[in-house]
């Protein structure tokens, strides 16, 4: 497993700053409004302090202007705070949107070896969970920023009263630092454990509900309910354990407040009795500090959320910033295309070769079937031929009337003009039938779409009440595996590439629809260069040539009839497939034994 | 429908009852938490008073000993405040998570045991009921504490202000609470925007998750470019919703902040005027000003508590259908008492046979089938509806229109599900692997011993699969999942096992291998097996095959004999 990269703190920060800089207006608005709002918040208590002194000296004359100023500052502060909030949330939203596009754009073009190496779970969690953590934290980050600015400006406010009062205020920070030192090292692990447990609980619940028919059929409701209860109990315990930590944090927060207030009152009392400052300054300091309870609480209380958002962000930036292949502009194919494979070898883990020393030529307009047991390397070969998987060694080239193009150079955009593949896993995309198909060809009109569906044998599509506007996929009409396969075939028919690679295109359909799918696949192969990974041998029979693979090598090749005449592995497979003769007691022995002829290039 | 609904809703507890139960079960910790919370709020309300007294007695007058006394007072106040607050926070949160867990466990047990209770909502919706709504319901515990302690905080605030000055106190108490409540009242306007925002974000996130999940097929047909363009459009909608929400939020915030500012300034002005006239002293002035910025807290707390309560009631209404008493089950099987909870494996020759006699139902006409221990019967149905009907009859979900389907003399559809479960296992075609490991996936509540599990895996050619499973076995290929599903059914060792198209995703070699071992193992177990399939490797190994043609007519013969039937040959020879 090669994990996906995680960006360093410095890189994450510089990426964020770069994204922020591309919205200069929002940046300026955020800075100006936030500082102005903080100034207003801090000025309020200072004016109240002045009022206290005016009361003390019975100086009525200054009361009117002070109260007027207080009113202006209060109202202005309120408006400025709202403006600051608006600006900063807008900035955060723009940065989030940019990040969303960046990471998905990068992930969609990730090399499949990278995805395979890192595990698709890691990739998915970066795009979904991490992105969600960050986007949900964005308003909080805005709040934290405002609180930090308010606390910083307050320090200026304390200093304007007396430097010793400012020093008394500063005493709270070591307390906060100590509190965080006790909290943070444990918090990361405990919150991560809590999230893991909660995710596991949700997954267990979902899988039980989705599998309700299985649970019922096996009569295993008590067992499954017990599993859910156990997962829920683990999540609850993890949550309570995390709770004890937040408790510690709130208590130290109260402690810091008590200490800060005491320090200000004690310092103030000494300074007033020493006739250094007036009572109003102390009253102002105390009121200011009382108003800081909230921002300070925000800063401390959201520390772990900020940390968590930061961790998510560095994982996002890590992937978004991965160097991608240079986009190459590839010419369109000219006429029929042949496939030429030279010395291709592939290994996923660097030790065991899944495909070994493969040389293969598929002449333009002809078809080749690849058959063999599971794990023989058929699907890997198909992915390499389709240009979706860069082989560990060797070259795969496509040749048309104008010359040769290496399939590794085709790139995401160019590939679909040359080659289309129906992979083993099919997917029905959420949306309408039309939207699903136009993913392959965005500007296809309804006429072309219907024609493609007809080629794929999807007669059911014509009978849909809402036609191409019928919603399909998870929240719409449920398509069975055979229909999903037809959709996959229809997308290729729509894209109309000169080369098609079909990886077990009729595999999971069940027996009822296998015929239809085979007909559709055959229709799609017509007039094209085709490679078909087939475990239904009737599909192999219609191909011009058949390759039998075993342990990454081609062990037999020829036409269907030639191979039957040779009476080797293919012939055994064919007999098993049709069951026209009596089955040997242990047919598997015959296939994996050494009686078959040695491999030929 | 009309006579059905009251029967269904009869056992459902009203939301209030659910909440009452939650509060009753946590009565002790919640009482302590409520006391702690009240103490905490009272102390919070006393902080402005403490500041005022300290300024008056220790700063404006008095000496060092007064200052030290003031500091000691502040520290003591905060110590009590922190203790009460901490206790309330911890006990409340613990009660909420424990109750959420309990509601979730009870409701899950119910919906799994009685799927009918879950009719009307999708699995995803129920999952959200079992997670979010369970927690929202349990929040009732915290909500009550918030309302009570908020009231205490407000009372203390009132007492302090009224003691300083009647008019000042009345003025503050009559303006601030209505103001806070008024601000709360305009926030629903904001909620619509926030809903739109989270909806847009949810759609974008769902699209991203789908595209990553479908990455392989997407790249295979070259759809990444268009997919990214669509995602950009979703992100743009998301941004618009974000900005609209931010603007709406700013307007609401500005209204709240400006009106609060007016009131605080008015109170400060009034208090200042009184201080100039000598009606109140400097310390009292400081107290009033600090109190004016605090008094919103207890009011918001009460408003929040009320909101939480209504959310809890809404959550309780959604989860309540899963909390009532279970409906009466059908007739329990005769030998239920001997079998305890049925965890024994009821295999062997002593089982009564399942006999279908002259069954007609839907597209099936006159089907006769006798399943003795060790029998293996193939079924090839040209019409998928005929296959579905046969499955429904065997699983007791449908009664035949004519003829009979019996187990030991009793009609299958009249036997309660829990009685059938352990004898006739009709495995759904759609595979759902449950559990995080291969071993868990093979356990179906029958205490299957490890040796039997290994044997079942070997039979299904699944012995070399990884032990760790990701979500629903997503790390396995389609063929591997099918083999695990076959192993699970074998490990359950039911008296009668009904499989539909169990080996379609296997390659020819493996298919043949598994087919041979599957039938042999079932014979060795002494259980009867029915396979709905068109796979010759399976059919050729069955004792006999029922061929149901397009007209619903049933032919009963060996696979080899049926091969001379053109319709049959076309169906199985591919």
């Amino acid at each position: 497993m090669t994990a996906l990269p995680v960006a360093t703190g410095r890189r994450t920060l510089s990426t964020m700053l770069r994204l922020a800089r591309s919205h200069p207006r929002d940046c300026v608005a955020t800075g100006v409004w936030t500082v102005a709002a903080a100034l207003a918040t801090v000025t309020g208590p200072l004016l109240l302090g002045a009022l206290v002194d005016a009361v003390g000296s019975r100086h009525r004359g200054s009361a009117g202007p002070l109260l007027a100023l207080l009113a202006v500052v209060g109202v202005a502060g309120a408006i400025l705070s709202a403006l600051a909030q608006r600006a900063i949330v807008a900035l955060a939203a723009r940065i989030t949107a940019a990040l969303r596009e960046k990471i998905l754009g990068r992930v969609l073009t990730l090399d499949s070896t990278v995805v395979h190496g890192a595990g698709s779970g890691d990739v998915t969690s970066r795009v979904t969970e991490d992105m969600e953590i960050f986007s949900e934290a964005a308003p909080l980050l805005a709040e934290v920023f405002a609180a930090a600015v308010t606390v910083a400006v307050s320090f200026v406010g304390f200093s304007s009263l007396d430097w010793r009062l400012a020093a008394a205020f500063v005493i709270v920070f070591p307390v906060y630092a100590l509190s965080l030192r006790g909290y943070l090292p444990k918090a990361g692990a405990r919150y991560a454990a809590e999230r893991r447990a909660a995710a596991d609980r949700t997954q267990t619940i979902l899988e039980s509900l989705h599998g309700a028919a299985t649970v019922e059929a096996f009569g295993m409701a008590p067992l499954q309910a017990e599993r859910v209860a156990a997962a829920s109990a683990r999540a609850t315990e993890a949550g309570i354990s995390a709770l004890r930590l937040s408790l510690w944090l709130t208590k130290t927060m109260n402690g810091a407040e008590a200490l800060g207030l005491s320090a200000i009152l004690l310092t103030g009392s000494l300074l007033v009795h020493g006739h250094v400052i007036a009572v109003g300054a102390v009253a102002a300091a105390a009121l200011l500090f009382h108003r800081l309870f909230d921002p300070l609480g925000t800063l401390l209380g959201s520390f772990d959320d900020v940390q968590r958002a930061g961790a998510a962000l560095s994982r996002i930036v890590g992937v978004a910033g991965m160097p991608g292949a240079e986009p190459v502009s590839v010419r369109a194919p000219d006429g029929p295309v042949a496939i030429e494979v030279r010395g291709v070898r592939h290994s996923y883990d660097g030790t065991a070769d899944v495909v070994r020393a493969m040389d293969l030529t598929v002449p333009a307009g002809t078809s080749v079937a690849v058959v063999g047991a599971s794990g023989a390397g058929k699907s890997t070969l198909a992915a390499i031929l389709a240009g979706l998987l860069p082989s560990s060694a060797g070259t795969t080239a496509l040749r048309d009337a104008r010359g040769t193009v290496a399939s590794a150079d085709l790139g995401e955009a160019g590939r679909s003009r040359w080659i289309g593949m129906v992979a083993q896993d099919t997917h029905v995309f959420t949306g309408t039938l039309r939207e699903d198909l136009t993913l392959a060809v965005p500007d296809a009109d309804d006429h072309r779409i219907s024609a493609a569906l007809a080629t794929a044998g999807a007669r059911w599509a014509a009978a849909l009440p809402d036609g191409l506007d019928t919603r399909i996929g998870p929240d719409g009409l449920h398509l069975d595996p055979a229909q999903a396969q037809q959709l996959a075939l229809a997308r290729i028919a729509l894209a109309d590439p000169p080369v098609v690679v079909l990886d077990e295109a009729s595999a999971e359909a069940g027996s009822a629809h296998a015929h239809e799918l085979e007909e559709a696949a055959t229709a799609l192969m017509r007039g094209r260069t085709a490679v078909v990974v087939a475990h239904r041998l009737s599909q192999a029979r219609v191909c011009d040539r058949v390759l039998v693979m075993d342990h990454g090598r081609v062990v037999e090749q020829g036409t269907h009839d030639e191979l039957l005449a040779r009476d080797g592995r293919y012939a055994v497979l064919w007999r098993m497939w049709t069951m026209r003769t009596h089955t040997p007691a242990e047919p598997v022995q015959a296939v994996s034994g050494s009686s078959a002829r040695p491999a030929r290039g | 429908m009309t006579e059905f609904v009251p029967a269904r809703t009869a056992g459902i507890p009203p939301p209030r009852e659910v909440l009452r139960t939650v509060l009753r079960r946590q009565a002790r910790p919640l009482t302590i938490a409520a006391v702690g919370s009240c103490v905490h709020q009272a102390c919070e309300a006393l902080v402005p008073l403490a500041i005022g007294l300290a300024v008056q007695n220790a700063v404006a007058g008095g000496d060092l000993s007064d200052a030290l006394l003031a500091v000691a007072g502040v520290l003591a106040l905060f110590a009590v405040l922190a203790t009460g607050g901490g206790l309330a926070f911890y006990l409340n949160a613990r009660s909420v998570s424990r109750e959420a867990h309990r509601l979730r466990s009870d409701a899950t047990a119910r919906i799994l045991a009685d799927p009918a209770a879950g009719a009307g909502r999708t699995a995803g919706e129920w999952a959200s009921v079992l997670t979010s709504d369970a927690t929202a319901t349990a929040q009732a515990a915290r909500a009550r504490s918030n309302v009570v302690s908020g009231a205490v905080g407000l009372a203390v605030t009132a007492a302090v202000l009224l003691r300083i000055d009647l008019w000042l106190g009345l003025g503050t108490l009559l303006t601030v609470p209505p103001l806070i409540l008024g601000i709360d009242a305009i926030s629903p306007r904001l909620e619509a925007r926030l809903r739109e925002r989270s909806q847009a974000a949810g759609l974008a996130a769902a699209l991203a998750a789908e595209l990553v999940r479908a990455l392989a097929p997407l790249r295979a047909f070259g759809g990444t470019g268009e997919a990214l363009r669509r995602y950009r459009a979703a992100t743009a909608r998301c941004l618009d919703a974000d900005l609209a929400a931010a603007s709406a939020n700013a307007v609401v915030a500005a209204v709240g902040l400006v009106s609060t500012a007016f009131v605080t300034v008015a109170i400060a002005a009034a208090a200042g005027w009184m201080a100039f006239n000598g009606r109140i002293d400097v310390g009292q002035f400081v107290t009033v000003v600090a109190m004016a910025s605090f008094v919103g807290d207890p009011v918001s707390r009460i408003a929040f508590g009320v909101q939480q309560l209504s959310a809890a009631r809404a959550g309780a209404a959604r989860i309540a259908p899963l909390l009532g008493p279970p409906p009466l089950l059908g007739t329990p099987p005769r030998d239920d008492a001997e079998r305890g909870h049925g965890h024994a494996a009821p295999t062997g020759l002593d089982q009564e046979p399942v006999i279908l006699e002259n069954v007609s139902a839907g597209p099936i006409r006159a089907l006769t089938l006798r399943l003795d221990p060790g029998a293996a019967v193939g079924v090839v149905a040209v019409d998928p509806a005929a296959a579905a009907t046969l499955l429904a009859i065997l699983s007791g979900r449908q009664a035949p229109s004519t003829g009979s389907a019996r187990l030991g003399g009793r009609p299958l559809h009249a036997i309660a599900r829990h009685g059938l479960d352990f004898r006739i296992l009709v495995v759904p075609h759609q595979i759902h692997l449950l559990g995080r490991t291969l071993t868990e996936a093979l356990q179906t509540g029958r205490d299957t011993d490890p040796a039997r599990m290994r044997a079942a895996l070997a039979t299904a050619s699944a012995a070399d699969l990884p032990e760790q499973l990701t979500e629903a076995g997503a790390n396995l290929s389609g063929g591997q999942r099918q083999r695990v599903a076959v192993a699970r059914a074998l490990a359950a060792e039911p008296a009668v096992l009904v499989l539909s198209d169990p080996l379609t995703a296997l390659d020819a070699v493996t298919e043949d291998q598994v087919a041979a071992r599957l039938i042999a193992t079932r014979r060795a177990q002494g259980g009867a097996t029915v396979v709905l399939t068109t796979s010759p490797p399976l059919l050729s190994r069955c004792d006999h095959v029922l061929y149901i043609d397009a007209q619903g007519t049933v032919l009963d013969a060996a696979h080899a004999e049926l091969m001379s039937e053109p319709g049959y040959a076309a169906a199985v020879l591919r």
Side-chain angles (χ1 to χ4, degrees):
Chain A
M1 286 291 223
T2 341
L4 293 169
V6 174
T8 59
R10 182 191 294 261
R11 244 199 84 124
T12 308
L13 195 64
S14 76
T15 306
M16 286 302 281
L17 290 178
R18 207 171 47 244
L19 287 174
R21 266 206 301 275
S22 49
H23 305 288
R25 255 187 49 192
D26 290 288
C27 282
V28 171
T30 300
V32 170
W33 298 139
T34 310
V35 172
L39 278 173
T41 308
V42 173
T43 314
L46 300 186
L47 289 173
L48 287 170
L51 206 59
V52 166
D53 284 340
V55 170
S57 61
R58 307 268 159 201
H59 191 272
R60 270 170 192 275
S62 61
L66 275 177
L67 283 172
L69 207 55
L70 198 61
V72 170
V73 166
V75 173
I79 294 171
L80 287 169
S81 293
L83 283 174
Q85 209 180 354
R86 161 86 178 73
I88 195 166
V89 171
L91 179 62
R94 285 186 209 282
I95 291 177
T96 308
L99 268 179
R100 276 203 180 107
E101 287 176 18
K102 249 176 118 85
I103 185 159
L104 195 81
R106 191 64 202 88
V107 162
L108 288 186
T109 52
L110 270 186
D111 219 310
S112 49
T113 43
V114 175
V115 179
H116 193 275
S120 64
D122 193 10
V123 180
T124 312
S125 77
R126 306 263 178 136
V127 177
T128 55
E129 281 158 51
D130 287 332
M131 204 56 235
E132 221 165 305
I133 289 173
F134 181 74
S135 85
E136 271 171 20
L140 179 74
L141 294 178
E143 224 175 278
V144 168
F145 177 70
V149 171
T150 307
V151 170
V153 172
S154 298
F155 180 73
V156 179
F158 281 115
S159 306
S160 78
L161 292 168
D162 188 275
W163 68 267
R164 281 149 289 202
L165 284 175
F169 161 63
V170 165
I171 206 170
V172 301
F173 292 105
V175 180
Y176 285 146
L178 276 177
S179 151
L180 285 176
R181 248 184 64 179
Y183 170 78
L184 288 180
K186 292 181 211 151
R190 270 198 222 179
Y191 283 111
E194 186 194 5
R195 279 194 303 278
R196 257 199 317 278
D200 181 59
R201 177 193 70 197
T202 307
Q203 193 186 322
T204 310
I205 290 177
L206 262 177
E207 119 188 337
S208 308
L209 294 174
H210 282 306
T214 302
V215 171
E216 195 189 0
F218 280 88
M220 57 190 288
L223 171 68
Q224 203 55 29
E226 206 175 285
R227 284 175 177 170
V228 169
S232 170
R234 279 195 299 275
T236 306
E237 279 316 306
I240 291 175
S241 153
L243 211 59
R244 292 199 192 101
L245 267 182
S246 346
L247 187 61
W248 149 262
L249 198 63
T250 16
K251 279 194 173 164
T252 54
M253 204 141 67
N254 287 144
E257 284 166 1
L259 216 61
L261 192 57
S262 303
I264 287 171
L265 288 174
L266 200 59
T267 314
S269 159
L270 289 173
L271 289 174
V272 171
H273 290 140
H275 302 290
V276 183
I277 53 171
V279 179
V282 183
L287 287 173
L288 181 54
F289 189 66
H290 188 236
R291 284 206 187 170
L292 284 183
F293 282 11
D294 273 356
L296 283 172
T298 302
L299 277 187
L300 199 63
S302 50
F303 216 96
D304 52 293
D305 283 324
V306 172
Q307 218 186 16
R308 196 168 146 224
L313 186 62
S314 56
R315 284 159 53 82
I316 295 168
V317 172
V319 170
M322 277 170 80
E326 286 294 307
V328 220
S329 64
V330 177
R331 64 183 175 83
D334 184 6
V337 174
I339 307 172
E340 291 174 355
V341 174
R342 293 288 166 266
V344 160
R345 182 178 71 71
H346 191 73
S347 165
Y348 289 104
D349 56 8
T351 53
D353 280 355
V354 183
V355 171
R356 316 161 194 242
M358 178 71 67
D359 286 306
L360 172 69
T361 303
V362 186
T366 69
S367 58
V368 135
V370 183
V371 301
S374 298
K378 295 169 298 187
S379 291
T380 304
L381 178 64
I384 292 172
L385 292 180
L388 293 170
L389 179 68
S391 56
S392 305
T395 57
T396 308
L398 301 172
R399 178 197 293 282
D400 67 356
R402 285 166 58 193
T404 319
V405 174
S407 58
D409 293 343
L410 284 174
E412 277 306 304
R415 191 189 316 119
S416 59
R417 284 195 276 181
W418 287 77
I419 210 159
M421 174 168 173
V422 175
Q424 225 170 346
D425 302 322
T426 55
H427 184 86
V428 177
F429 292 87
T430 309
T432 65
L433 180 59
R434 183 187 289 104
E435 284 165 351
D436 186 295
L437 290 160
T438 51
L439 266 175
V441 181
D443 54 359
D445 57 28
D446 286 6
H447 180 73
R448 276 180 67 192
I449 294 174
S450 302
L453 282 167
T455 306
R459 278 183 288 274
W460 48 270
L464 291 176
D466 294 329
L468 294 176
D469 292 319
T470 307
R471 289 194 68 82
I472 55 174
D475 63 350
L477 179 73
H478 175 77
L479 298 188
D480 63 35
Q483 292 171 322
Q485 285 279 8
Q486 286 173 326
L487 219 49
L489 291 168
R491 286 188 212 111
I492 302 295
L494 196 59
D496 194 22
V499 181
V500 292
V501 177
L502 309 178
D503 188 1
E504 303 194 335
S506 58
E508 289 203 46
S511 36
H513 301 282
H515 278 304
E516 292 172 31
L517 282 173
E518 270 178 40
E519 278 164 29
T522 310
L524 195 60
M525 285 154 59
R526 208 162 289 136
R528 296 192 172 90
T529 312
V531 177
V532 184
V533 175
H535 69 219
R536 297 178 57 82
L537 295 189
S538 42
Q539 236 184 326
R541 187 170 54 174
V542 301
C543 289
D544 298 322
R545 211 149 46 103
V546 179
L547 301 185
V548 182
M549 272 184 85
D550 187 33
H551 292 100
R553 278 182 219 282
V554 176
V555 292
E556 271 180 30
Q557 60 173 309
T559 65
H560 173 79
D561 293 332
E562 282 168 14
L563 291 181
L564 281 191
R566 188 181 295 173
D567 202 19
R569 295 188 187 200
Y570 183 76
V572 174
L573 285 172
W574 180 255
R575 277 199 298 274
M576 252 164 20
W577 171 251
T578 54
M579 285 281 161
R580 280 174 206 282
T581 59
H582 278 289
T583 328
E586 227 4 304
V588 188
Q589 295 303 329
V591 174
S592 55
S594 53
S595 62
R597 290 173 188 220
R600 291 193 319 170
Chain B
M1 206 58 202
T2 34
E3 69 272 358
F4 178 71
V5 173
R8 194 69 255 176
T9 51
I12 297 178
R16 248 166 235 288
E17 186 49 45
V18 175
L19 298 187
R20 227 173 274 147
T21 312
V22 165
L23 295 176
R24 198 172 47 235
R25 281 199 294 234
Q26 298 289 330
R28 223 178 107 90
L30 286 182
T31 311
I32 301 173
V35 172
S37 186
C38 291
V39 169
H40 172 254
Q41 275 299 296
C43 291
E44 287 274 13
L46 289 175
V47 170
L49 179 65
I51 294 175
L53 285 175
V55 167
Q56 178 66 30
N57 298 330
V59 179
D63 52 23
L64 187 63
S65 65
D66 290 311
L68 289 175
L69 193 67
V71 165
V74 165
L75 291 177
L77 181 63
F78 271 87
V80 177
L81 178 151
T83 308
L87 204 60
F89 169 78
Y90 180 72
L91 289 178
N92 273 333
R94 199 185 63 181
S95 292
V96 168
S97 35
R98 285 193 177 160
E99 274 309 301
H101 164 66
R102 179 135 183 206
L103 291 170
R104 183 177 301 127
S105 303
D106 291 352
T108 309
R110 174 66 192 283
I111 196 172
L112 290 177
D114 173 24
R121 278 184 207 271
T122 65
E125 284 170 328
W126 277 124
S128 123
V129 168
L130 292 174
T131 49
S132 319
D133 285 324
T135 306
T137 307
Q139 291 285 6
R142 211 190 319 240
R144 200 177 55 169
S145 168
N146 277 337
V147 173
V148 173
S149 63
V152 168
L154 197 59
V156 173
T157 309
V160 170
L161 285 174
L162 290 172
R163 267 203 59 190
I164 290 173
D165 184 275
L166 180 65
W167 293 109
L168 212 48
L170 279 181
T172 309
L173 289 176
L174 290 180
T175 48
V176 178
L179 186 69
I180 302 292
L181 295 177
I183 294 165
D184 267 351
I186 53 170
S187 54
R189 293 174 181 281
L190 187 61
E191 274 164 26
R193 293 276 181 210
L194 291 178
R195 250 198 319 277
E196 280 164 30
R197 174 182 184 266
S198 57
Q199 203 177 7
L203 282 176
L207 181 56
E210 177 173 25
L211 292 177
V212 173
R213 200 166 57 236
L215 190 55
L218 194 61
R219 297 183 73 214
F221 67 82
T224 51
E226 172 66 7
L228 192 58
R229 197 193 61 72
R230 286 183 192 178
Y231 184 66
R232 286 215 177 95
T235 313
R237 277 193 294 276
C238 208
L239 180 58
D240 288 344
D242 274 352
L243 295 179
S247 299
N249 206 358
V251 170
V252 171
V255 170
L257 288 167
V258 170
S259 40
T260 314
F262 268 118
V263 172
T264 355
V265 168
I267 290 173
W273 180 76
M274 288 179 182
F276 273 112
N277 289 336
R279 266 177 75 173
I280 59 174
D281 62 29
V282 166
Q284 287 171 323
F285 169 71
V286 171
T287 298
V288 170
V289 171
M291 206 59 119
S293 63
F294 167 77
V295 69
D297 274 17
V299 181
S300 312
R301 186 176 271 261
I302 296 172
F304 183 57
V306 169
Q307 266 175 30
Q308 273 182 319
L309 265 183
S310 70
R313 221 169 282 136
R318 277 189 289 271
I319 203 169
L322 301 184
L323 295 175
L328 288 176
L329 295 165
T331 337
R334 282 182 305 200
D335 50 358
D336 216 28
E338 299 153 37
R339 287 172 49 207
H341 278 77
H343 279 278
T347 55
L349 296 157
D350 55 325
Q351 288 298 315
E352 303 140 315
V354 169
I355 300 173
L356 272 62
E357 225 162 355
N358 232 353
V359 164
S360 291
I364 299 178
R365 285 197 283 147
L367 182 145
T368 295
L369 171 64
R370 185 186 163 90
L371 292 170
D372 286 308
V377 181
V379 176
V380 175
V382 174
D383 181 358
T389 306
L390 181 60
L391 288 175
I393 291 172
L394 283 172
S395 56
R397 276 178 289 136
Q398 185 180 337
S401 327
T402 60
S404 69
R406 290 168 187 278
L407 167 68
R410 280 166 304 150
L412 295 182
H413 69 270
I415 302 176
R417 282 295 310 153
H418 66 241
L420 267 181
D421 285 338
F422 300 101
R423 305 190 200 183
I424 306 183
L425 170 54
V426 180
V427 181
H429 174 62
Q430 178 125 32
I431 297 168
H432 283 280
L433 299 183
L434 305 162
R436 296 287 175 280
T437 64
L438 200 52
T439 313
E440 281 179 13
L442 293 185
Q443 285 289 7
T444 48
R446 288 162 173 76
D447 294 330
T448 313
D449 71 68
R452 270 204 286 166
M453 268 192 228
R454 276 195 299 277
L457 282 172
T459 302
S461 289
D464 56 343
L465 298 183
E467 175 64 16
Q468 290 301 319
L469 299 182
T470 58
E471 197 173 343
N475 57 333
L476 303 179
S477 74
Q480 288 173 327
R481 276 197 294 274
Q482 268 195 343
R483 282 182 272 162
V484 176
V486 166
R488 172 172 64 184
L490 286 172
E493 300 194 358
V496 177
L497 175 61
V498 184
L499 297 165
S500 20
D501 279 327
L503 308 177
T504 44
L506 304 189
D507 62 85
V509 181
T510 319
E511 180 187 11
D512 188 71
Q513 195 179 355
V514 176
R517 296 203 200 122
L518 168 65
I519 301 293
T521 303
R522 282 299 293 162
R523 285 212 173 97
Q525 285 178 356
T529 312
V530 178
V531 203
L532 280 75
T533 183
T534 54
S535 151
L538 273 170
L539 292 167
S540 64
R541 289 176 173 97
C542 289
D543 305 331
H544 59 114
V545 178
L546 300 184
Y547 168 53
I548 311 173
D549 71 13
Q551 282 72 46
T553 315
V554 181
L555 283 177
D556 188 350
H559 171 65
E561 293 167 50
L562 283 170
M563 286 303 289
S564 57
E565 195 66 35
Y568 181 84
V572 301
L573 284 187
R574 311 160 275 191

